């Protein structure tokens, strides 16, 4: 029952859109993080339970280790920002959104 309820909630993109917008607003208003993290804007006017529409942000996927190296990305800095981000979400916001789109 719990699994079924949770999986249905995860498949509802209106909830995903809400969570994305909420974490984006929190981070963009946080002077410690807003210059370090870019989060796509959700276009709620186009979202439904089955469709989510957000800005496209060009970049190197986190799993593309070779791409990051060739671009000169400091992966230790990226890891440090992730630790700061998740610590802030957990300890300061009391809200965690774990979908790194």
């Amino acid at each position: 029952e719990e699994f079924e309820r949770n999986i249905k909630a995860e498949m509802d993109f209106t909830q995903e859109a809400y969570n994305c917008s909420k974490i984006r607003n929190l981070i963009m208003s946080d002077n410690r993080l807003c210059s370090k993290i870019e989060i796509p804007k959700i276009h709620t006017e186009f979202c439904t339970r089955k469709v989510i529409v957000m800005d496209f942000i060009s970049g190197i996927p986190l799993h593309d280790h070779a791409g990051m190296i060739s671009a000169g990305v400091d992966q230790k800095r990226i890891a440090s920002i992730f630790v700061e981000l998740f610590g802030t979400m957990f300890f300061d916001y009391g809200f965690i959104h774990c979908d790194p789109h």
Side-chain angles (χ1 to χ4, degrees), residues 39-93:
I39 299 173
K41 181 180 186 292
I42 302 297
H43 298 277
T44 55
E45 66 273 20
F46 302 113
C47 295
T48 68
R49 292 185 67 223
K50 295 184 178 188
V51 175
I52 187 167
V53 178
M54 65 182 77
D55 289 345
F56 176 79
I57 300 174
S58 181
I60 302 167
L62 290 174
H63 67 272
D64 185 356
H65 184 69
M68 287 197 170
I69 290 172
S70 69
V73 174
D74 182 348
Q75 292 177 328
K76 288 184 180 180
R77 183 169 187 276
I78 299 294
S80 176
I81 291 169
F82 262 83
V83 169
E84 181 181 10
L85 169 64
F86 278 86
T88 300
M89 285 192 294
F90 186 80
F91 294 112
D92 295 344
Y93 304 160

